[in-house]
Amino acid sequence: MTPPQLRLDPELAAISVMIPEFDLLDDLSEARRLEDELAAQGRNSLEGVAIEDVHLLRRGGGQLRVRSYRPSSIGTLPAILYIHGGAFMLGSVATEDERCEFYARDANCVVFALDYRLAPEHPFPAAFDDCNDVLDWLYREAGSLGIDPRRIAIGGNSAGGALAASTALHARAFDRPPLTHQLLVNPVLDCRSRTPSVTRFTDTPVWTRAHNLLMWERYLGPAASSVDYRASPALADDLTGLPSASFWIAEFDPLRDEDYEYAIRLMGAGVQVDLTQYAGTMHGFDGYRMTGVGRRAMHDQIRVLRRVFQR
């Protein structure tokens, strides 16, 4: 039941009472099955986008699946590496299929998504390493992939936003063209979980303080005592020289205030920042594209991608 003090958007309020509760503590296999089922039910393939899966060799061995979404345009295109959410424990390359297709078709770019390793079976830094391996591959194979290495962005939602921001921080030191943008959608950023919104939102739809604390415990695992920016971007001391960033923030989200704090620090470091908070929304709202505010957020994200790729 939605707490009465939360003035949710009417469409989201109607949906919130039907959102299933994911068991992140005891039965992750069931939670993963349910999320895959929900993603498949909401799948609406778009015409004009070609989808292809490739498998890369993961550092340390094993296969890493990457899915590309390519519009029908001819020639060298910009690209975005988009990283799915799911509390570092749920989701797959298919979780954001529809979003990635929209980005590819309407922002006229090639989108790459990956099946990074999930916690708690694979705690930090497994997912971080996977994201960096894929970004390295994009730069190394840009010519054969038909993408412009001077116009590669990175993005992600929720836990994927943490991985996108930390990968951008790590990429800053590499001898290659800089990333052109960070698209951060309701991003997880701070393992300290100390902001007013984390403290206040204990019974919000989709995501709560308890979820947040459990997520970090499961993701960090043995590294909890020595965590750094690679897991929690807010721990970075220096934010200078990072690519421009856009933040897409929900009003009633425990993550809200850590997103504002990080955005303000980026601006203080001279990084160009776009920030939009959507009234009456909860965590993950832009995934509900049957609602007006969900569609608006998607259109806004595409508008920003088109702009940064035209620089």
Side-chain angles (χ1 to χ4, degrees):
M1 182 67 67
T2 303
Q5 68 270 25
L6 302 187
R7 301 184 64 177
L8 281 176
D9 171 271
E11 290 180 301
L12 289 176
I15 289 171
S16 68
V17 299
M18 298 183 288
I19 297 173
E21 180 72 22
F22 289 101
D23 182 358
L24 301 181
L25 184 60
D26 296 320
D27 191 0
L28 276 178
S29 62
E30 176 60 20
R32 288 168 178 168
R33 184 200 64 76
L34 179 58
E35 178 161 271
D36 288 345
E37 182 179 298
L38 290 174
Q41 288 176 355
R43 183 82 168 86
N44 293 301
S45 297
L46 303 184
E47 294 183 1
V49 178
I51 300 175
E52 180 182 8
D53 283 357
V54 298
H55 290 83
L56 312 181
L57 183 64
R58 176 182 280 121
R59 68 177 75 182
Q63 296 289 309
L64 174 57
R65 181 167 61 149
V66 179
R67 178 167 293 176
S68 67
Y69 306 79
R70 188 178 298 271
S72 56
S73 302
I74 298 173
T76 302
L77 295 173
I80 180 170
L81 173 59
Y82 194 82
I83 307 165
H84 71 79
F88 302 109
M89 295 181 279
L90 307 176
S92 72
V93 71
T95 301
E96 296 292 342
D97 267 335
E98 187 179 76
R99 179 195 303 270
C100 292
E101 289 183 8
F102 273 118
Y103 286 173
R105 187 191 69 179
D106 296 344
N108 197 38
C109 63
V110 185
V111 182
F112 296 89
L114 73 149
D115 260 341
Y116 59 84
R117 287 169 289 178
L118 299 176
E121 299 93 332
H122 303 283
F124 170 79
F128 172 81
D129 288 343
D130 288 347
C131 293
N132 279 276
D133 286 350
V134 175
L135 184 60
D136 289 344
W137 172 72
L138 293 182
Y139 277 107
R140 188 172 63 248
E141 301 296 333
S144 62
L145 293 171
I147 62 174
D148 182 353
R150 298 164 300 175
R151 292 188 294 162
I152 296 177
I154 194 165
N157 60 298
S158 195
L163 292 165
S166 62
T167 301
L169 281 160
H170 200 62
R172 179 176 50 179
F174 295 160
D175 183 21
R176 62 191 183 198
L179 290 167
T180 192
H181 190 69
Q182 306 171 75
L183 186 85
L184 305 176
V185 183
N186 301 153
V188 172
L189 295 170
D190 195 341
C191 66
R192 294 167 291 190
S193 299
R194 64 183 186 183
T195 65
S197 61
V198 169
T199 302
R200 177 188 174 197
F201 295 138
T202 59
D203 195 27
T204 39
V206 180
W207 199 244
T208 66
R209 172 178 173 79
H211 289 132
N212 211 58
L213 295 174
L214 177 62
M215 172 192 68
W216 281 115
E217 177 186 331
R218 291 293 187 89
Y219 178 52
L220 296 179
S225 61
S226 58
V227 64
D228 58 29
Y229 77 87
R230 296 171 302 154
S232 177
L235 298 180
D237 293 326
D238 179 13
L239 302 184
T240 58
L242 288 170
S244 64
S246 54
F247 289 79
W248 313 90
I249 298 175
E251 181 179 7
F252 303 120
D253 186 350
L255 306 175
R256 182 193 66 194
D257 294 350
E258 65 194 61
D259 294 350
Y260 275 106
E261 287 185 359
Y262 195 70
I264 290 169
R265 288 187 60 208
L266 284 171
M267 288 186 275
V271 177
Q272 184 181 60
V273 172
D274 286 305
L275 191 151
T276 305
Q277 177 178 300
Y278 295 82
T281 55
M282 74 274 196
H283 185 75
F285 74 95
D286 70 315
Y288 300 103
R289 285 180 281 278
M290 72 290 292
T291 68
V293 69
R295 290 191 296 273
R296 178 158 57 89
M298 175 59 64
H299 294 326
D300 291 345
Q301 291 165 28
I302 289 167
R303 173 181 49 80
V304 166
L305 284 177
R306 293 183 69 91
R307 188 191 74 220
V308 299
F309 287 146
Q310 289 171 358
R311 291 176 182 168

